[in-house]
Amino acid sequence: MIEVILSEKSTEGAVKQMQNYIGGEITERWGEYTLTFDNDIAKGCVRCITFDWGVSLMEIDALFYDDILFINDNGNSNPIHFSYCSQGFYKNRFENETEFNIVEQFHSSIIVSKTDLKIYTLLPKEIHIVVNDIRIVRSEFLKKRNNQLSELNENLYRVFVDDKDETAFAYYGPIHLKMEDYVKTLRDLKTEGMARVLQIEGEVYHLLSMHILRHDRYQSNEAIHF
């Protein structure tokens, strides 16, 4: 197993830390950073882009030849992770837990840690994994003038306004096939330049709303449609 410690606050910084462990080359175009690798450790790429108000996107599309354990150690600056698994599966747990939670294909998760509590994410070997991860840095997002946080359900509202990182939170959602359509649209975008950046940002906020709506229905015990 290869342990990859991620302590950088920025998504771009996290990708550069990944490079230190799994190798590859990083390129940048229109604000998108892409780490591409094809070696004895893994084959594939990691892409990321950052927007205003602490919102960023990271996508992992790779086959690893050894188990990879990402150790998210952000100290007292813990972003909220809205993640979706398009292919394969991955496992999550907090450092103080003994059992992993499995996020299977077409399933999602919302997870955020608290001060000095690490998140462990295990990507299994010999499985093609595609994971879409939207990160929100709460201290920045709270500055957004029209953030509409008051419209969130009570649990998510507490997560967003916890700018002191006092509470850990994890939600593992049921299968969500419709979300895959939007993730695929985002992955297959062919536009360039400013138009591409705006399209990606729009799709990221659309996906974020889908994560939140799915959690709302779960909290309200409403019927969940796949």
Side-chain angles (χ1 to χ4, degrees):
M1 179 184 294
I2 299 174
E3 295 186 357
V4 179
I5 298 174
L6 304 176
S7 57
E8 287 287 341
K9 294 182 179 180
S10 72
T11 308
E12 296 90 344
V15 170
K16 291 176 182 177
Q17 285 185 320
M18 290 181 192
Q19 182 188 32
N20 293 334
Y21 292 90
I22 61 179
E25 296 184 359
I26 294 177
T27 57
E28 184 274 331
R29 196 177 190 191
W30 307 308
E32 289 180 78
Y33 289 81
T34 302
L35 169 62
T36 305
F37 39 84
D38 186 357
N39 52 39
D40 293 339
I41 298 174
K43 180 178 181 179
C45 67
V46 178
R47 292 183 288 268
C48 75
I49 185 170
T50 299
F51 306 102
D52 294 331
W53 313 116
V55 178
S56 63
L57 170 70
M58 178 187 291
E59 183 178 78
I60 298 174
D61 182 351
L63 174 70
F64 296 97
Y65 305 127
D66 198 351
D67 290 336
I68 303 292
L69 182 66
F70 289 122
I71 301 175
N72 288 273
D73 183 11
N74 294 112
N76 61 352
S77 177
N78 296 287
I80 308 175
H81 295 267
F82 294 83
S83 305
Y84 183 79
C85 183
S86 291
Q87 188 164 330
F89 69 92
Y90 64 93
K91 301 179 181 181
N92 267 342
R93 71 174 175 88
F94 292 116
E95 153 183 44
N96 60 354
E97 296 176 328
T98 57
E99 298 294 327
F100 279 97
N101 296 281
I102 301 175
V103 182
E104 297 179 345
Q105 185 179 27
F106 306 138
H107 288 65
S108 62
S109 65
I110 304 173
I111 188 167
V112 60
S113 189
K114 63 181 181 180
T115 298
D116 295 328
L117 180 66
K118 302 178 182 67
I119 298 175
Y120 293 166
T121 301
L122 178 64
L123 304 184
K125 64 181 179 180
E126 304 297 345
I127 293 177
H128 184 189
I129 297 170
V130 181
V131 176
N132 175 290
D133 181 46
I134 299 169
R135 295 184 5 155
I136 294 184
V137 178
R138 288 170 288 183
S139 58
E140 293 299 316
F141 194 79
L142 289 171
K143 299 174 186 177
K144 192 174 186 294
R145 182 175 179 182
N146 191 24
N147 58 45
Q148 297 296 309
L149 291 180
S150 61
E151 301 297 320
L152 295 173
N153 66 65
E154 184 179 354
N155 280 351
L156 277 185
Y157 177 79
R158 287 201 302 264
V159 169
F160 268 92
V161 300
D162 179 22
D163 57 351
K164 294 182 180 179
D165 299 294
E166 295 177 332
T167 305
F169 173 87
Y171 163 72
Y172 296 94
I175 192 169
H176 198 340
L177 296 176
K178 188 175 181 181
M179 188 177 285
E180 172 61 17
D181 294 336
Y182 290 93
V183 171
K184 188 175 186 303
T185 296
L186 178 60
R187 196 160 52 239
D188 293 344
L189 284 177
K190 302 300 182 185
T191 50
E192 299 182 349
M194 181 172 139
R196 178 178 178 82
V197 175
L198 291 173
Q199 277 190 281
I200 293 175
E201 185 172 17
E203 292 294 338
V204 163
Y205 275 102
H206 193 153
L207 284 169
L208 182 59
S209 71
M210 295 179 78
H211 279 286
I212 291 171
L213 286 172
R214 176 54 65 98
H215 185 264
D216 280 347
R217 288 171 181 162
Y218 165 79
Q219 286 294 113
S220 303
N221 293 315
E222 294 181 27
I224 294 178
H225 303 290
F226 299 154

